[in-house]
């Protein structure tokens, strides 16, 4: 376990450096570079731009600039938003709770859907339930999420009027019920897409597990079929699923860009599209950096969790 | 049922190619007297806010969306085969470096990255194809690398080497043909992903720009009038869905994953 931890850590560190260099170069590749905003403004004189360039250290070597940018990023100094001048850190952290809420609820719903669907389609392999869910999961992974969101809005918000079309709460009516109603549609979109991938995965590992000797042994001892499925097989097939769920949870930061924007859910995803519309590069870069780091960290966490649940992996 | 995805895709490609002859109107023909008209016999999918025929625009949009999907997958596939092939064939330090780079790029979320690059570059359609392709080579590279690594140790490759085959011959006659199926499967995934990425980028207004129609930017324009003109959002979305689902089914079949015992 410790060896795995060390090995994964040694892998992750150069990866993080590489990603940060990639993101840094992207800012510099933008036309005008970090001063693009001032260059476009006719009221800013060329000599002022030159002074700014020196004051901000943009005349230093790229290597030095990268180093000080990275050092500042690690310390939590992510610069200031171009659009309202506030620190990027506070703009990101005020949006974080909404994203965590939406992703948390969606992940729980997706797991609640995945376990019965994945298990039952493995048990009844090749029969109608398996075929139906196979088609549904292929549709789920091929579905344009934003369009699914638009259709839900047309049917349930505009057509039937059952659900609020967007936002996290209705001003003036901030009770729990209204809050939950706002969650229904974005959660449906995210949970469906997540469960589509996960249930295929669980089905595969369940089918693999039931062919193993210990299942045959349990059957020979006379353990009832339902207990074999629920306790013996599922427990073993669950470890890789938990690893995948952890890895996908990294999408916390970026995966909901589309869904959050369609439903105007005030999380990191819609912060990203707002920043995109205003060319707010500091916010965009912080979010891109944050979500890439999250992917690496959650990947390591997924591996460790998998190893903790299934000692064979750690070897 | 077996051939349905292939038939659907053939019909889609055929009608996209024949759009100028099939389409009942010109794609940019503005008819202010029949703006925002619900579907009728004259306009099967209705008209948009400028009175343009939605069916016509879906057909012309298909050319852009399908071209982006197919060509970006080609770019992704070709770069993936080269990078993954080098890593899998060379092994050692080259493999380690290339795979770390692959992991690094895979960690950067694809859609947000493409959105930022598109805002900066305001890409034309060919550049968009290139960008989507370059953002998608990693999966193919991993597949090709894994195939080459496992094939490289097999007896027939070793015997070919022992018989004096050079690198080029081993690669082209032994490794690539045996990895072809895996490459084809990863290409179908890349096509579906390319179509979804184009539609998402255009939906956010940073992909294919109006007046040129693509399925994604038709949805971008439809978003404003969901309540009054739902047909504007239904047609392009259904076309995206049917296309990506058909491509996924074809890929699934190719992979043999759906073969039941």
């Amino acid at each position: 376990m410790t060896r795995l931890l060390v090995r994964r850590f040694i892998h992750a560190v150069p990866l993080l450096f590489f990603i940060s260099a990639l993101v840094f170069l992207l800012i510099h590749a933008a036309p005008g570079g970090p001063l693009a905003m001032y260059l476009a403004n006719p009221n800013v004189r060329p000599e002022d731009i030159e002074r700014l360039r020196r004051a901000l250290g943009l005349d230093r070597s790229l290597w030095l600039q990268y180093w000080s940018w990275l050092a500042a990023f690690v310390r939590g100094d992510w610069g200031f938003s171009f659009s309202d001048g506030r620190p990027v850190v506070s703009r990101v952290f005020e949006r974080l709770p909404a994203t965590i809420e939406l992703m948390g609820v969606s992940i729980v719903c997706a797991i609640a859907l995945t376990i019965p669907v994945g298990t039952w389609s493995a048990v009844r392999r090749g029969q109608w339930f398996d075929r139906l869910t196979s088609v549904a999961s292929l549709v789920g992974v091929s579905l344009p999420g934003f369009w699914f969101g638009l259709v839900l809005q047309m049917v349930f918000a505009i057509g039937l009027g059952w659900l609020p079309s967007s936002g996290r709460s209705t001003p003036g009516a901030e009770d729990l019920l209204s809050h939950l109603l706002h969650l229904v549609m974005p959660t449906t979109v995210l949970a469906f897409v997540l469960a589509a991938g996960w249930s295929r995965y669980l089905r595969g590992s369940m089918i693999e597990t039931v062919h193993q000797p210990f299942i045959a042994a349990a059957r020979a001892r006379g353990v009832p079929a339902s207990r074999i499925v629920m306790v013996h097989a599922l427990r073993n097939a669950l470890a890789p699923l938990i690893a995948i769920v952890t890895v996908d949870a990294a999408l916390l930061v970026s995966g909901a860009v589309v869904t959050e924007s369609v439903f105007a859910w005030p999380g990191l995803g819609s912060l990203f599209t707002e920043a995109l519309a205003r060319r707010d590069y500091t916010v965009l870069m912080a979010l891109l950096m944050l979500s890439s780091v999250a992917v690496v960290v959650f990947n390591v966490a997924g591996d460790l969790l998998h190893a903790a649940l299934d000692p064979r992996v750690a070897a | 049922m077996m051939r349905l995805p292939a038939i659907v895709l053939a019909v889609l490609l055929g009608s996209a190619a024949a759009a100028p002859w099939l389409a009942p109107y010109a794609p940019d023909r503005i008819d202010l007297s029949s703006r925002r008209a619900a579907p009728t016999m004259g306009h099967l999918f209705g008209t948009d806010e400028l009175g343009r025929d939605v069916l016509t625009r879906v057909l012309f949009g298909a050319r852009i969306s399908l071209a982006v999907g197919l060509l970006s997958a080609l770019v992704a596939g070709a770069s993936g085969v080269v990078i993954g092939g080098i890593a899998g064939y060379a092994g050692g330090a080259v493999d380690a470096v290339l795979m770390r780079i692959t992991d690094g790029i895979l960690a950067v979320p694809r859609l947000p990255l493409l959105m930022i690059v598109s805002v900066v570059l305001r890409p034309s359609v060919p550049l968009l194809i290139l960008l989507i392709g370059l953002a998608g080579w990693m999966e193919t590279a991993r597949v090709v690398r894994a195939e080459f690594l496992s094939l490289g140790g097999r007896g027939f490759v070793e015997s070919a080497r022992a018989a004096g085959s050079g690198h080029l011959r081993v690669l082209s006659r032994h490794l690539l043909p045996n990895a072809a199926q895996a490459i084809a499967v990863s290409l179908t995934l890349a096509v579906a992903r390319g179509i979804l990425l184009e539609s998402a980028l255009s939906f956010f207004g940073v992909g294919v720009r109006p007046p040129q129609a693509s399925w994604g930017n038709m949805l971008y324009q439809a978003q404003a009038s969901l309540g009054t003109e739902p047909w504007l959002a239904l047609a392009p979305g259904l076309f995206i869905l049917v296309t990506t689902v058909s491509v996924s089914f074809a890929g699934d079949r190719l992979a043999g994953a759906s073969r039941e015992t």
Side-chain angles (χ1 to χ4, degrees):
Chain A
M1 190 70 194
T2 322
R3 264 186 56 210
L4 181 79
L5 186 81
V6 170
R7 206 166 59 215
R8 294 298 286 141
F9 188 73
I10 290 170
H11 261 169
V13 169
L15 208 57
L16 289 172
F17 274 107
F18 175 71
I19 291 167
S20 62
L22 210 67
V23 171
F24 176 78
L25 286 177
L26 200 63
I27 319 177
H28 275 261
L35 290 179
M37 192 178 57
Y38 299 105
L39 291 174
N41 185 343
N43 295 324
V44 181
R45 292 170 305 167
E47 52 264 41
D48 289 335
I49 288 183
E50 200 39 53
R51 215 178 48 236
L52 258 175
R53 198 181 294 281
R54 267 200 302 279
L56 293 173
L58 291 170
D59 54 345
R60 294 175 304 167
S61 74
L62 209 56
W63 177 245
L64 269 175
Q65 287 184 51
Y66 165 69
W67 197 246
S68 55
W69 170 77
L70 188 63
F73 194 92
V74 171
R75 282 198 309 268
D77 174 7
W78 298 349
F80 297 89
S81 162
F82 282 178
S83 58
D84 64 2
R86 290 171 47 219
V88 173
V89 175
S90 51
R91 293 207 63 188
V92 167
F93 277 88
E94 73 192 14
R95 296 298 192 96
L96 199 56
T99 291
I100 291 178
E101 175 186 290
L102 177 60
M103 286 308 283
V105 173
S106 305
I107 288 173
V108 169
C109 290
I111 293 175
L113 204 62
T114 297
I115 292 180
V117 167
T119 311
W120 195 242
S121 53
V123 170
R124 291 273 179 268
R125 187 180 175 194
Q127 295 178 16
W128 69 267
F129 182 80
D130 184 28
R131 284 163 193 271
L132 186 77
T133 52
S134 296
V135 173
S137 71
L138 259 181
V139 171
V141 294
S142 329
L143 191 69
F146 56 92
W147 181 69
F148 186 32
L150 291 182
V151 171
L152 287 181
Q153 281 180 328
M154 282 195 285
V155 175
F156 294 100
I158 299 168
L160 299 169
W162 291 354
L163 295 167
S165 67
S166 61
R168 198 180 176 197
S169 59
T170 312
E174 274 132 16
D175 54 308
L176 185 66
L177 179 70
S178 138
H179 191 77
L180 288 176
L181 287 178
H182 280 89
L183 263 170
V184 173
M185 286 198 292
T187 302
T188 306
V189 173
L190 285 172
F192 182 57
V193 172
L194 289 174
W198 294 348
S199 58
R200 287 280 84 187
Y201 192 80
L202 180 61
R203 173 186 179 273
S205 59
M206 279 293 280
I207 288 173
E208 218 170 273
T209 312
V210 291
H211 289 302
Q212 291 193 4
F214 75 92
I215 295 288
R219 231 178 240 138
R221 285 202 309 273
V223 180
S226 62
R227 196 180 147 78
I228 289 182
V229 170
M230 299 305 288
V231 180
H232 297 254
L234 190 58
R235 223 190 108 190
N236 273 275
L238 228 43
L241 180 71
I242 289 171
I244 293 280
V245 170
T246 314
V247 170
D248 282 355
L251 301 178
L252 193 80
V253 190
S254 70
V257 165
V258 168
T259 313
E260 284 191 3
S261 309
V262 168
F263 293 106
W265 186 263
L268 295 177
S270 41
L271 175 64
F272 183 88
T273 42
E274 287 161 34
L276 194 75
R278 295 190 180 141
R279 311 285 188 270
D280 197 343
Y281 290 119
T282 43
V283 173
L284 292 176
M285 288 307 150
L287 286 174
L288 194 64
M289 184 72 188
L290 202 61
S291 43
S292 314
V293 171
V295 170
V296 174
V297 171
F298 278 72
N299 254 303
V300 175
D303 278 1
L304 295 179
L305 213 56
H306 194 179
L309 292 168
D310 188 347
R312 286 169 301 178
V313 179
Chain B
M1 179 62 199
M2 286 301 283
R3 297 232 173 100
L4 192 60
I7 294 170
V8 170
L9 288 175
V11 169
L12 277 168
L13 281 172
S15 21
W21 299 280
L22 278 180
Y25 302 91
D28 295 324
R29 200 192 75 126
I30 293 171
D31 179 2
L32 294 178
S33 65
S34 62
R35 292 161 56 204
R36 304 170 191 281
T40 55
M41 283 313 286
H43 299 280
L44 285 177
F45 291 171
T47 64
D48 67 6
E49 73 281 3
L50 294 173
R52 295 176 298 191
D53 182 52
V54 174
L55 172 61
T56 303
R57 290 185 69 74
V58 165
L59 281 172
F60 276 88
R63 312 182 96 176
I64 301 291
S65 298
L66 293 176
V68 172
L70 290 171
L71 296 176
S72 70
L74 223 56
V75 173
S79 353
V81 167
V82 170
I83 296 171
I86 292 174
Y89 192 73
V94 177
D95 178 34
V97 169
L98 285 179
M99 283 304 111
R100 283 298 82 70
I101 292 175
T102 308
D103 288 347
I105 299 177
L106 264 180
V108 182
R110 207 177 328 238
L111 180 62
L113 175 67
L114 279 173
M115 286 164 96
I116 294 178
V117 175
S118 304
V119 152
V120 171
L121 297 180
R122 301 180 59 87
S124 58
V125 172
L127 184 57
L128 193 66
I129 290 171
L130 192 68
L131 291 174
I132 293 178
L134 289 181
W137 55 267
M138 296 79 75
E139 285 86 352
T140 312
R142 278 187 160 181
V143 167
V144 172
R145 169 188 177 263
E147 287 285 318
F148 276 26
L149 277 180
S150 84
L151 289 168
R154 299 261 290 276
F156 69 95
V157 176
E158 262 171 53
S159 75
R161 272 208 199 95
S165 304
H167 293 305
L168 259 181
R169 192 177 161 81
V170 170
L171 280 170
S172 64
R173 296 295 291 274
H174 299 284
L175 294 179
L176 268 179
N178 281 294
Q181 194 199 11
I183 295 172
V185 172
S186 83
L187 277 184
T188 60
L189 292 176
V191 171
R193 201 172 47 228
I195 291 172
L196 286 176
L197 282 172
E198 180 276 318
S199 65
L201 288 173
S202 304
F203 177 71
F204 284 106
V206 295
V208 177
R209 281 159 215 271
Q212 198 163 28
S214 88
W215 293 337
N217 76 23
M218 291 179 74
L219 286 172
Y220 168 67
Q221 287 162 322
Q223 201 185 12
S225 55
L226 283 183
T228 44
E229 290 103 37
W231 56 87
L232 293 180
L234 282 179
L238 276 176
F239 272 81
I240 298 174
L241 183 65
V242 167
T243 311
T244 52
V245 168
S246 306
V247 172
S248 302
F249 264 103
D252 200 44
R253 191 138 300 147
L254 215 53
S258 64
R259 212 180 294 132
E260 295 298 342
T261 47

